[in-house]
């Protein structure tokens, strides 16, 4: 059988993504807070920011779930093929 799946990202890449997300969200929140407009406009922009963030997480989860299900189907198909190849005897004759 094939080896177990290896993680696709390194710890450094993961840390960079987390820091980038935190910095961008914080910078946008600070920008909204100091925007020279009425409070209701700031509140609307803040709600929009939260909506975009939750939508991004939802989209990332859907993409990940689709990729994992495709990998699982591929692994099952690969296991079936390996089983068929292991059981096949090219020199066997049926009489």
């Amino acid at each position: 059988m094939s080896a177990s799946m290896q993680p696709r990202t390194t710890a450094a890449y993961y840390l960079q993504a987390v820091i980038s997300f935190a910095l961008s969200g914080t910078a946008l929140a600070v920008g909204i807070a100091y925007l020279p407009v009425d409070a209701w406009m700031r509140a609307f922009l803040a709600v929009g920011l939260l909506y975009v963030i939750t939508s991004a997480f939802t989209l990332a989860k859907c993409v990940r779930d689709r990729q994992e299900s495709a990998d699982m189907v591929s692994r099952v198909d690969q296991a079936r093929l390996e089983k068929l190849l292991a059981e096949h005897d090219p020199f066997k004759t049926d009489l």
Side-chain angles (χ1 to χ4, degrees):
M1 280 258 182
S2 60
S4 64
M5 293 178 55
Q6 297 296 322
R8 294 185 183 106
T9 59
T10 63
Y13 180 77
Y14 179 76
L15 181 64
Q16 178 186 357
V18 169
I19 290 172
S20 174
F21 176 77
L23 284 176
S24 66
T26 302
L28 189 54
V30 168
I32 290 172
Y34 287 104
L35 196 64
V37 293
D38 293 337
W40 69 270
M41 289 177 145
R42 269 193 233 111
F44 177 78
L45 292 173
V47 168
L49 172 63
L50 293 176
Y51 181 66
V52 167
I53 289 172
T54 57
S55 296
F57 276 109
T58 302
L59 177 61
K61 182 186 178 310
C62 290
V63 169
R64 183 202 64 203
D65 290 348
R66 180 176 283 181
Q67 179 66 35
E68 285 180 352
S69 69
D71 286 346
M72 183 60 72
V73 169
S74 175
R75 290 174 67 190
V76 168
D77 289 343
Q78 182 66 28
R80 286 180 184 158
L81 178 62
E82 288 176 3
K83 181 182 177 198
L84 285 173
L85 290 174
E87 292 174 350
H88 177 68
D89 184 6
F91 301 110
K92 181 180 177 184
T93 58
D94 293 327
L95 294 176

